[in-house]
DNA sequence: ATTGACACGTTATAATATAACACTCATAAG
DNA sequence: CTTATGAGTGTTATATTATAACGTGTCAAT
């Protein structure tokens, strides 16, 4: 079975583990585009052609892309081909929670669960470059406890793990 | 009382919370330099003049510095003033666990607990830029559990929190 | 003496990111 | 209607961060 189509989507939300599994990614992507449009309408923000196109490009795969790679794609699509074009769209999408920035890669990846602000942990496969978003409630709880013991008030935090995804653990030399 | 000299050092090791507290930082720094030299001897690595100077510079404060700021300091000290000089020394120190890289700032900070390889969580004050290293055992445990549920094998991970340190929580506008 | 490994200095360039300004277009006052 | 006003885009230029590649000196092992 190549696709796990209807069964894996619950209320329009992909399970996070889907990134590492073969799945009907076209569905995955179009589902998120629809949610992005809904969010924009709800919030009164504008999902303009450039912004929409950037999100589409990032949604093509469960991997992160550098700003300049996105830019090149935009250019071939007839949009401006100077860095600010890409960075502005990316920054907008990040602010809206539709895209996450992966610090370790200086790259961007489409959010696979756009909703209320969430800051997932990222699992980044160093072989296939696939990025998955893990729920961080317990991780954050532990981090907050550590911060509390310093009387440090966390405002935002970044959690990124590099390693091997299930698929690539088998195929390593 | 300005210093909490002898009481805060236990077996030559500063408590991690010290970064956010007034303390005898000269002691703090010289203590770590000694440990760095010992480590180098033990491991058969060379703490050359440039490398040593870079560590000294980073040890001047509990803050992170960009590679180019380090480089400028090196240049005024008569070392080479081209980027590779700084980056090579920094990369060496990072590999030896004597310096940590702060991803969110593209900057480097001296390790305040150099010993066997450890990967702390960083608490970064956005007001005063002080960086503290928090112990991450519980955080990492939680992260590993999350990764396990993906069958993802973590190789290394980055945990960085931005926020306000205890001192700066009072003095915010 | 010769070799090889390592560190350092230098030149040049790559990769990532932002500042600043001009133009368009939509919408809101006047 | 027309005239601000603001948001978004495109462009030029530049800033910031990082590495590639090559030559030289030092020192230990052969
Ligand atoms: Zn998908
Ligand atoms: Zn993989
Ligand atoms: Zn100190
Ligand atoms: Zn502070």
């Amino acid at each position: 079975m190549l696709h796990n189509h209807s069964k894996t989507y619950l209320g329009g939300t992909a399970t996070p583990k889907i990134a590492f599994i073969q799945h009907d990614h076209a569905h995955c992507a179009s589902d998120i585009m629809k949610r992005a449009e809904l969010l924009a309408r709800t919030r009164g923000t504008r999902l303009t052609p450039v912004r929409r196109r950037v999100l589409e490009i990032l949604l093509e795969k469960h991997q992160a892309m550098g700003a300049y790679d996105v830019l090149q794609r935009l250019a071939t699509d007839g949009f401006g081909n100077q860095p600010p074009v890409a960075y502005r769209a990316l920054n907008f999408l990040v602010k809206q929670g539709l895209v996450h920035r992966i610090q370790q890669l200086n790259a961007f990846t489409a959010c696979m669960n756009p909703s209320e602000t969430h800051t997932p942990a990222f699992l980044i496969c160093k072989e296939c470059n696939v990025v998955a978003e893990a729920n961080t409630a317990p991780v954050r709880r532990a981090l907050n406890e550590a911060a509390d013991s310093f009387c440090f008030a966390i405002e935002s935090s970044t959690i990124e793990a590099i390693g091997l995804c299930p698929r690539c653990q088998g195929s390593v030399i």
Side-chain angles (χ1 to χ4, degrees), chain A:
Chain A
M1 190 174 77
L2 234 72
H3 293 167
N4 48 358
H5 212 112
S6 40
K7 278 293 188 55
T8 42
Y9 301 98
L10 304 160
T13 304
T15 88
K17 301 179 180 50
I18 205 171
F20 294 138
I21 299 170
Q22 279 205 25
H23 62 282
D24 181 356
H25 187 61
H27 184 152
C28 197
S30 78
D31 179 59
I32 291 172
M33 272 315 302
K34 272 178 219 134
R35 290 208 268 156
E37 270 154 19
L38 179 61
L39 272 179
R41 248 169 295 149
T42 309
R43 293 175 182 164
T45 58
R46 293 172 51 198
L47 195 58
T48 62
V50 200
R51 292 167 174 178
R52 155 184 271 281
R53 188 72 194 109
V54 169
L55 184 53
E56 282 170 3
I57 290 167
L58 289 178
L59 278 170
E60 285 173 6
K61 43 199 177 67
H62 285 278
Q63 284 160 294
M65 275 180 94
Y68 280 77
D69 295 327
V70 171
L71 178 58
Q72 196 169 325
R73 293 287 307 274
L74 285 178
T76 67
D77 291 356
F79 294 98
N81 72 340
Q82 297 305 316
V85 175
Y87 279 103
R88 282 194 291 235
L90 288 166
N91 290 336
F92 168 85
L93 293 168
V94 168
K95 201 178 286 177
Q96 296 300 316
L98 294 167
V99 163
H100 296 295
R101 181 176 189 136
I102 307 294
Q103 300 278 354
Q104 306 231 15
L105 305 178
N106 288 326
F108 301 84
T109 190
C111 175
M112 291 300 150
N113 187 16
S115 59
E116 295 324 298
T117 49
H118 72 138
T119 339
F122 297 100
L123 305 179
I124 306 159
C125 179
K126 66 176 186 172
E127 277 293 309
C128 67
N129 299 309
V130 164
V131 175
E133 301 181 19
N135 193 310
T136 43
V139 183
R140 250 157 244 288
R141 201 151 37 236
L143 183 55
N144 277 323
E145 268 168 39
D148 280 353
S149 83
F150 283 71
C151 301
F152 185 92
I154 293 182
E155 214 155 86
S156 74
S157 52
T158 303
I159 302 173
E160 298 178 2
I162 307 274
L164 287 176
C165 79
R167 290 176 66 79
C168 293
Q169 282 172 56
S171 56
V172 166
I173 310 111

